[in-house]
Amino acid sequence: MTRRRSRRLTVGPERFRWSVGHRHGGPSGVDCQEVLTVFREKPAGGHFRFAFPLDGAVVHQGGVWRPGAGGPGTGGYLNLNLPGTVRALLDEARASGHSLTVGAAAEVDGRQFFDAVLARLGDR
């Protein structure tokens, strides 16, 4: 998986690191995915991966759109490179019961949070 160096995200007293990558042949068997990985910085915790299977051309690394949409500008687009998007995904995952506890590791299909994240961000 290709990945950039991690960036910092602070949520209240918590500090996280996150990175965006692109992979082929992930655990779900989908050929092409954008992957956002978030992990707790201190105290050290687990990591959480949001995998977004791509159904078309990649506009740029980290660019994902609503399933069935024709691409950016056609009904819902997320840029995984933006801290606000990362924060919204983390908030939605935590609200649905996921955590980043020590030793925990999870991967989910990020599309399940898509509409809720768009609502948090103001559906742009």
Side-chain angles (χ1 to χ4, degrees), residues 26-40:
S28 65
V30 175
D31 286 340
C32 194
Q33 298 177 325
E34 290 299 290
V35 180
L36 168 67
T37 303
V38 180
F39 55 96
R40 185 181 305 281

Side-chain angles (χ1 to χ4, degrees), residues 56-101:
V58 177
V59 176
H60 60 80
Q61 185 168 313
V64 295
W65 47 90
R66 179 180 282 121
T74 60
Y77 169 76
L78 296 177
N79 184 342
L80 303 179
N81 296 301
L82 299 177
T85 303
V86 175
R87 169 70 190 269
L89 279 162
L90 179 59
D91 288 347
E92 286 300 323
R94 293 170 107 186
S96 67
H98 297 288
S99 68
L100 291 165
T101 57

